[in-house]
């Protein structure tokens, strides 16, 4: 079986409380994956593009999965998603939108821009823990990873 605990997950989230709860859920679920956190859409683009201060790919590897909030400062999650899908070397990275918005407009737009999944953040911690466990099973264990280079 593949060792999926080395797969990096990029969490794009500006709410420090949500970051804390998601990190706690990862620990409680015994998920050992490196969890990189950026706090705004512009930083997400810099991280994914390998621009400063994220140019060291040993320290900031490309993620196997992106958890993307929509309501972000500097560049929205939808803008990040639109940018990502236009990048030949990155467009296949799996993106799970993880947001508090249940608006059909946001859901439809996220899928139109190429989101792979859309999840609404649960209010209760136990529900978040279940969601994190399911994310790990589906996206990191069972899901086949795409090749990132074009072709």
């Amino acid at each position: 079986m593949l060792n999926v605990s080395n797969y990096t997950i990029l969490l794009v989230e500006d709410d420090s409380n949500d970051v804390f709860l998601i990190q706690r859920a990862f620990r409680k679920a015994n998920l050992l994956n490196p969890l990189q956190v950026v706090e705004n859409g512009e930083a997400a683009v810099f991280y994914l593009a390998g621009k400063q201060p994220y140019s060291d790919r040993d320290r900031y590897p490309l993620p196997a999965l992106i958890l993307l909030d929509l309501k972000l400062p500097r560049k929205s999650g939808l803008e990040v998603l639109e940018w990502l899908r236009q990048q030949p070397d990155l467009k296949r990275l799996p993106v799970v939108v993880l947001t508090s918005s249940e608006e059909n407009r946001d859901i439809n737009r996220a899928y139109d821009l190429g989101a792979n999944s859309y999840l609404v953040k649960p209010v209760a911690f136990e529900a978040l823990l279940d969601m994190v466990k399911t994310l790990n099973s589906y996206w990191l264990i069972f899901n086949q990873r795409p090749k990132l280079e074009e072709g």
Side-chain angles (χ1 to χ4, degrees), residues 70-129:
L70 290 185
K71 311 294 185 202
L72 297 167
R74 297 190 183 174
K75 192 178 281 281
S76 76
L78 292 173
E79 290 173 312
V80 172
L81 188 56
E82 184 172 29
W83 173 85
L84 181 66
R85 295 308 186 219
Q86 295 171 352
Q87 305 307 305
D89 295 337
L90 303 172
K91 66 183 179 185
R92 295 181 185 139
L93 280 172
V95 175
V96 172
V97 172
L98 183 58
T99 185
S100 57
S101 174
E102 296 181 71
E103 295 180 34
N104 283 335
R105 182 185 63 209
D106 288 339
I107 296 168
N108 291 340
R109 186 72 180 136
Y111 280 114
D112 288 347
L113 292 173
N116 297 96
S117 185
Y118 191 103
L119 301 173
V120 176
K121 294 175 200 166
V123 175
F125 181 74
E126 289 303 318
L128 177 64
L129 181 58

Side-chain angles (χ1 to χ4, degrees), residues 8-77:
T8 296
I9 298 170
L10 177 62
L11 173 62
V12 186
E13 174 62 65
D14 65 321
D15 186 315
S16 60
N17 291 324
D18 286 346
V19 170
F20 173 79
L21 290 172
I22 291 168
Q23 288 173 327
R24 184 170 173 230
F26 269 72
R27 281 193 305 273
K28 191 152 183 158
N30 292 320
L31 302 182
L32 304 175
N33 299 77
L35 185 64
Q36 297 281 353
V37 179
V38 294
E39 298 176 350
N40 62 67
E42 186 176 274
V45 168
F46 284 10
Y47 183 104
L48 292 165
K51 293 183 178 177
Q52 288 293 341
Y54 307 104
S55 59
D56 182 351
R57 282 294 183 210
D58 291 330
R59 187 169 177 200
Y60 303 106
L62 281 175
L65 178 66
I66 301 169
L67 302 177
L68 180 64
D69 191 14
L70 290 185
K71 311 294 185 202
L72 297 167
R74 297 190 183 174
K75 192 178 281 281
S76 76

